[in-house]
Amino acid sequence: MENEKMTLTKTAKLVLQEQEYELPTFTGSEGEVGIDISQLRSKTGAITADSGYGNTGSCQSAITFIDGEKGILRYRGYPIEELAEKSNFTEVSYLLIFGHLPNKKELEKFQFGLTHHSLIHEDMKKFYEGFPPTAHPMGILSSMVSSLSAFYPEAGYNADVELNIIRLLSKLKTIAAFSYKKSIGQPYVYPRNDLSYSADMLHMMFAVPSEVYEVPKVLEEALDLLLILHADHEQNCSTSTVRMVGSSEANLFASISAGICALWGPLHGGANQQVITMLEKIRDDGGDYKKYINLAKDKESKFKLMGFGHRVYKNFDPRAKILKASADKVLEQLGVKDPMLDIAKNLEEIALKDPFFIERKLYPNVDFYSGIIYRAMGIPTNMFTVMFALGRLPGWIAQWKEMRETPGARIYRPRQIYVGETTRSYVALEKR
Ligand code: SDX
């Protein structure tokens, strides 16, 4: 039933084993209705079961609103389309974390912090030497972020949160860029205080000591847009992981390191890398994209159309729409002709007409087009999920901070329904 048609009562009635119970309900600012089951077990002895938590709210949050049926995404009430067109990643990071668009003074102070905390301790460079050249940069990223708690031991759960937020926002791009330089055997390029967040990231990745590298405006703007679009997405897998770890009062660096690991999975942030792998496979297989649409429909094949489908969006992912338009513009401005973009568009066109995808409401998600833009920018495929993590960092931080500031916030500890062996006695080895 749609919220606007529901007749809201103050309670929901549950009949269990012929006993009737009343459960309180509450309504969010966008009309979403929640049934409060926090007393369910003590009242009824029963718990709910919701594999994948598709129907379970872990918290009340004021950060990001998504309407999956209508394809709506807003950060602190601002539509993603407006922020993508008019804002920038630094400003959006401030908005997500502190809840309002910064005025000039607030933005200057925030920008100064992001600029002047971008170096990492020189001893941290030794960690890169320990990784094999084939190490995936997401594994390096999570390890390096977790190690920050060794260099800032005072950064505990109750420490100066704002300083540690600035440190992490500022250092993550340096850690990411250094892992890229290490992987290609080039010297590290240090952060520059005169560049924007996105320009500095690209400069650290693509500059070489032997020549002056000016970051092209088209690349700086493309990266800034990608970071804005990835900045938060309410209680997705990695954000829920950050909240889960933070709920034990683990420090910010440990919580974010766990979120990076969750994002790495191919069903989540790792999908952007898998989309390119899939498109390359289709290209190398003569571009026969209909064959792969049929494979995706065949359960036995285990093949999924990467970059398609979403737990929440049952309509277009608004970020995919923006990225599809941006992909055309960026490739044209860069003079890049990428056959993978044509394959992606053909896949999308066919899938959106196919009953299998229509019935399951499978649309392109944020990962479907992002990889094509990263590729055109010269960013290697194994760095795509690292770029996702860079974008998602302010969202993770905002959600961690909101959880930490929620009165009465409790450690996350779900229950289970046990389906294993009932009690039995030990059997000596010789009798087994
Ligand atoms: C992100 O949560 C977020 O907000 C995430 C994210 C963010 O910003 O944080 O938006 C970022 O993670 C986007 C998603 C990136 N992942 C992919 O593109 C991987 C491919 N997509 C699927 O693995 C899947 O769609 C998920 C993981 C995204 C969603 O999985 P759900 O919600 O558990 O859905 P499901 O697996 O139950 O699928 C429902 C049906 C199934 O078929 P039936 O059993 O009903 O017959 O749709 C099928 C699935 O087999 N299906 C697909 C498919 N995705 C779902 N079939 C083919 N190709 C696909 N991509």
Side-chain angles (χ1 to χ4, degrees):
M1 280 175 76
E2 296 207 356
N3 292 334
E4 46 267 34
K5 293 185 194 132
M6 284 178 99
T7 312
L8 293 187
T9 57
K10 288 276 174 281
T11 59
K13 283 192 173 49
L14 171 71
V15 177
L16 182 65
Q17 288 151 350
E18 288 151 21
Q19 177 105 19
E20 184 173 295
Y21 302 91
E22 294 216 336
L23 298 170
T25 63
F26 57 97
T27 309
S29 46
E30 289 286 349
E32 297 164 307
V33 175
I35 301 172
D36 181 347
I37 58 168
S38 53
Q39 304 305 316
L40 180 70
R41 190 169 185 278
S42 58
K43 276 185 176 173
T44 71
I47 62 168
T48 57
D50 183 19
S51 159
Y53 298 129
N55 303 281
T56 297
S58 63
C59 61
Q60 297 181 30
S61 178
I63 298 169
T64 291
F65 173 69
I66 300 174
D67 182 322
E69 282 65 36
K70 296 176 184 156
I72 291 172
L73 169 58
R74 300 190 200 119
Y75 295 161
R76 299 283 187 180
Y78 295 97
I80 191 65
E81 295 81 2
E82 284 189 44
L83 294 171
E85 187 194 336
K86 299 171 183 165
S87 189
N88 61 62
F89 181 60
T90 300
E91 194 178 67
V92 165
S93 298
Y94 186 100
L95 169 67
L96 286 168
I97 294 168
F98 299 105
H100 63 275
L101 285 170
N103 60 33
K104 195 166 177 306
K105 195 159 162 280
E106 289 166 331
L107 187 58
E108 281 169 1
K109 181 176 174 247
F110 188 63
Q111 181 66 57
F112 182 87
L114 288 187
T115 304
H116 292 82
H117 286 273
S118 53
L119 289 175
I120 58 174
H121 193 292
E122 283 292 298
D123 286 353
M124 285 185 73
K125 285 167 40 182
K126 294 176 191 141
F127 298 160
Y128 288 103
E129 305 316 314
F131 290 106
T134 53
H136 194 288
M138 283 296 275
I140 297 174
L141 199 71
S142 63
S143 311
M144 297 298 271
V145 167
S146 185
S147 73
L148 284 172
S149 41
F151 290 88
Y152 301 100
E154 77 288 355
Y157 188 77
N158 299 308
D160 178 348
V161 172
E162 273 199 40
L163 172 57
N164 291 308
I165 286 173
I166 285 285
R167 278 174 173 153
L168 187 50
L169 279 170
S170 189
K171 294 179 196 312
L172 194 69
K173 61 176 160 54
T174 308
I175 291 170
F178 280 18
S179 67
Y180 170 62
K181 283 302 200 187
K182 171 79 173 80
S183 72
I184 58 174
Q186 282 188 5
Y188 303 127
V189 172
Y190 279 71
R192 270 181 41 185
N193 290 358
D194 60 320
L195 297 177
S196 72
Y197 185 98
S198 298
D200 192 26
M201 177 62 192
L202 294 166
H203 185 265
M204 287 192 281
M205 283 185 72
F206 296 134
V208 286
S210 43
E211 60 188 34
V212 174
Y213 173 69
E214 289 291 329
V215 178
K217 203 70 188 153
V218 61
L219 294 188
E220 178 183 0
E221 289 170 354
L223 180 56
D224 216 63
L225 172 65
L226 282 156
L227 296 176
I228 289 173
L229 295 176
H230 286 84
D232 192 52
H233 216 237
E234 53 129 290
Q235 307 310 315
N236 57 82
C237 177
S238 54
T239 300
S240 300
T241 303
V242 169
R243 280 182 171 256
M244 169 76 81
V245 173
S247 74
S248 72
E249 297 199 359
N251 67 64
L252 175 65
F253 304 133
S255 304
I256 298 299
S257 174
I260 292 169
C261 293
L263 186 74
W264 194 355
L267 295 188
H268 190 13
N272 55 18
Q273 180 174 341
Q274 298 302 323
V275 167
I276 294 299
T277 305
M278 172 186 74
L279 293 175
E280 282 171 341
K281 193 170 176 190
I282 297 172
R283 178 201 60 197
D284 298 345
D285 191 5
D288 183 0
Y289 49 85
K290 288 180 183 158
K291 170 181 165 187
Y292 288 87
I293 289 275
N294 293 329
L295 264 180
K297 291 158 63 175
D298 169 11
K299 282 254 173 287
E300 299 309 308
S301 75
K302 302 273 183 270
F303 175 79
K304 282 186 183 290
L305 210 50
M306 300 312 278
F308 255 78
H310 200 277
R311 173 61 58 79
V312 175
Y313 289 121
K314 299 309 171 192
N315 194 320
F316 242 90
D317 180 335
R319 302 167 297 177
K321 264 188 192 169
I322 295 168
L323 285 174
K324 181 177 178 182
S326 171
D328 282 326
K329 187 178 140 223
V330 169
L331 267 67
E332 190 192 336
Q333 285 174 318
L334 291 173
V336 169
K337 248 335 255 141
D338 186 349
M340 312 257 265
L341 181 57
D342 301 330
I343 295 173
K345 287 183 174 178
N346 289 328
L347 270 177
E348 177 189 352
E349 194 184 330
I350 294 277
L352 295 185
K353 291 179 192 151
D354 187 297
F356 175 90
F357 293 87
I358 295 169
E359 282 155 21
R360 290 164 181 80
K361 300 185 180 202
L362 301 176
Y363 290 87
N365 58 51
V366 68
D367 293 306
F368 191 61
Y369 285 104
S370 54
I372 289 166
I373 301 173
Y374 288 135
R375 219 171 103 93
M377 295 170 69
I379 293 171
T381 309
N382 72 351
M383 283 289 288
F384 286 6
T385 312
V386 170
M387 306 313 275
F388 192 145
L390 270 189
R392 187 52 52 89
L393 181 60
W396 284 333
I397 289 173
Q399 300 274 351
W400 184 87
K401 182 172 177 286
E402 182 181 67
M403 175 206 60
R404 184 178 172 281
E405 292 169 350
T406 302
R410 303 173 72 203
I411 188 169
Y412 279 26
R413 205 285 185 204
R415 304 299 296 250
Q416 64 164 25
I417 296 292
Y418 177 71
V419 292
E421 296 284 346
T422 51
T423 184
R424 53 183 173 167
S425 303
Y426 181 80
V427 177
L429 179 57
E430 57 277 7
K431 291 190 177 151
R432 285 177 214 159

